[in-house]
Amino acid sequence: MSLFEVNESEKFDGISLIVPVYNEALSIAPFCDRVMKVLAGVCNFEIVFVNDGSRDDTERTIESIMQGDMPFPVTLVSLSRNFGKEAALASGMQHARGNAVIPMDVDLQDPPELIPEMIEKWNAGAKIVNARRIDRSEDGFFKRTSAKIFYYIYNTMTEYPIPQNVGDYRLLDRVVIESILTIGERSRFNKGIFNWVGYETSEVTFSRPHRDIGSSKWSCWKLIKLALDGIFTSSTLPLRVWTYIGLTMGCLSVIYGLVILFTTLIFGRDVPGYASTVLLILTFGALNMFALGVMGEYIGRIYEEVRQRPLYIIRSISRTR
Ligand code: UDP
Ligand code: MG
């Protein structure tokens, strides 16, 4: 098979698996083997690897697999640096040619065995088939609890709640992908976007297995950033809520003022307490800072949007056929 430059007008009659990879050299071959075993004879498929600025042998490993005799087409999109999984997925969607697309992790924590069931539901008319985790015990207490808190906050705030425990692993019909590709936002939160576009949705369930090879590429900081992106890109409630907080605080201040006025008139001069004064200053100081911080989050995102920088930069693209 020879590698050649991609012609975007080509279409592929089958399913595109989009696989973002970041320092995953050891996971590539097991992933290809397992996918091949499970999907052989089930459907036509291609794999679109997005190398998200890996610093290990990931790119060379994929290239050597592409030079071998794979029974399915492989595309390798290499980004110029690590742009993060959300951006990597977006570039994968741009280069997938299939009738349906499935974003998958390369570490086999998204078991390919679910794909035939997803395809069944897709053939029955669903445009999106979510894979919902019914067991997250492998995730550890911290990740599980923080995910629960995040879903609660997110779903209370936004008009378009996202289903709990559904990751990026899902089947998306070509019409859904075309709709997603019209969204040009820079702060990406794919789980919110997948949901926002609408369409008939169905689901399959699974237990998330352990990661056998390598380790999670999500640091605590990256997860917090993703959660904040999710909330701030999907709702303006944090911005608007300050009107109500300010109004309530204003009313309370008037009531407190009246209480001081009457106690002074009735009982004589009130000696103001040092502790309560300091407490009030600190509380209002903190509230002001917090409100400013929330505005900063939105202004920062507005700045990102108006700068109009691309979401990712592609260093090279190659395809086997
Ligand atoms: N990933 C990526 N860029 C990043 C972080 C992760 O492309 O900056 C890829 C990673 O290689 C894997 C998938 O995203 O294929 C999921 O990552 P991981 O398994 O670390 O996430 P977890 O399962 O811990 O949520
Ligand atoms: Mg994983």
Side-chain angles (χ1 to χ4, degrees):
M1 278 176 206
S2 63
L3 308 183
F4 59 86
E5 284 301 299
V6 175
N7 172 5
E8 288 308 326
S9 62
E10 273 183 80
K11 286 282 167 258
F12 173 74
D13 189 22
I15 307 256
S16 303
L17 308 180
I18 302 182
V19 191
V21 282
Y22 177 48
N23 297 340
E24 302 275 12
L26 297 178
S27 308
I28 311 280
F31 174 82
C32 291
D33 287 349
R34 179 99 157 258
V35 163
M36 212 153 44
K37 217 177 281 163
V38 175
L39 294 187
V42 173
C43 66
N44 233 351
F45 70 97
E46 64 163 3
I47 298 185
V48 179
F49 283 111
V50 183
N51 172 26
D52 186 15
S54 300
R55 268 171 266 121
D56 67 351
D57 268 345
T58 300
E59 189 167 13
R60 253 162 295 157
T61 312
I62 297 173
E63 277 167 357
S64 71
I65 282 183
M66 289 168 84
Q67 266 138 19
D69 199 16
M70 294 309 259
F72 51 84
V74 178
T75 301
L76 169 62
V77 179
S78 281
L79 304 185
S80 60
R81 64 168 167 85
N82 179 243
F83 281 87
K85 188 186 173 187
E86 304 297 298
L89 273 184
S91 91
M93 284 184 230
Q94 191 93 51
H95 295 93
R97 304 168 297 171
N99 307 328
V101 156
I102 303 182
M104 283 178 90
D105 291 358
V106 75
D107 55 12
L108 292 170
Q109 286 194 290
D110 297 334
E113 285 74 9
L114 282 181
I115 294 178
E117 208 185 324
M118 286 178 166
I119 293 175
E120 248 171 57
K121 304 233 162 161
W122 175 50
N123 287 335
K127 296 286 183 242
I128 300 179
V129 185
N130 291 334
R132 192 160 58 82
R133 308 165 193 173
I134 44 172
D135 174 18
R136 290 191 66 142
S137 51
E138 67 77 38
D139 262 345
F141 179 76
F142 173 74
K143 207 166 172 186
R144 267 197 333 262
T145 318
S146 52
K148 228 180 214 165
I149 296 172
F150 168 73
Y151 281 119
Y152 179 76
I153 297 178
Y154 184 97
N155 286 342
T156 317
M157 281 186 175
T158 167
E159 268 179 81
Y160 310 97
I162 50 176
Q164 291 226 5
N165 298 327
V166 176
D168 294 322
Y169 187 32
R170 59 186 87 196
L171 182 146
L172 305 157
D173 186 275
R174 168 64 36 200
V175 292
V176 180
I177 292 297
E178 295 298 334
S179 308
I180 291 172
L181 290 177
T182 61
I183 300 174
E185 279 172 7
R186 265 119 200 111
S187 321
R188 294 298 267 211
F189 179 63
N190 284 318
K191 286 189 252 306
I193 290 176
F194 293 155
N195 214 46
W196 180 86
V197 291
Y199 295 107
E200 308 88 303
T201 304
S202 179
E203 73 170 23
V204 296
T205 53
F206 73 113
S207 288
R208 198 159 200 242
H210 276 288
R211 191 193 234 270
D212 287 333
I213 304 165
S215 58
S216 175
K217 303 295 179 296
W218 287 91
S219 60
C220 183
W221 175 239
K222 269 190 177 174
L223 279 175
I224 293 174
K225 194 181 164 297
L226 181 68
L228 291 180
D229 272 346
I231 289 168
F232 291 124
T233 53
S234 308
S235 170
T236 50
L237 188 68
L239 205 53
R240 285 177 288 123
V241 79
W242 295 102
T243 318
Y244 307 105
I245 294 179
L247 220 61
T248 316
M249 287 294 186
C251 293
L252 290 177
S253 310
V254 171
I255 295 170
Y256 188 50
L258 290 175
V259 170
I260 293 177
L261 180 71
F262 283 110
T263 46
T264 313
L265 287 177
I266 296 166
F267 303 110
R269 199 174 164 71
D270 186 30
V271 181
Y274 171 77
S276 56
T277 313
V278 169
L279 194 71
L280 280 175
I281 292 173
L282 288 179
T283 309
F284 281 99
L287 270 177
N288 277 328
M289 290 287 196
F290 191 67
L292 269 180
V294 169
M295 279 172 211
E297 290 286 346
Y298 283 97
I299 294 171
R301 282 171 175 77
I302 295 170
Y303 180 57
E304 291 289 323
E305 296 297 330
V306 297
R307 275 203 297 191
Q308 292 276 314
R309 289 198 181 176
L311 187 57
Y312 48 80
I313 293 172
I314 294 174
R315 181 164 47 76
S316 64
I317 307 178
S318 48
R319 182 168 277 160
T320 51
R321 61 177 133 108

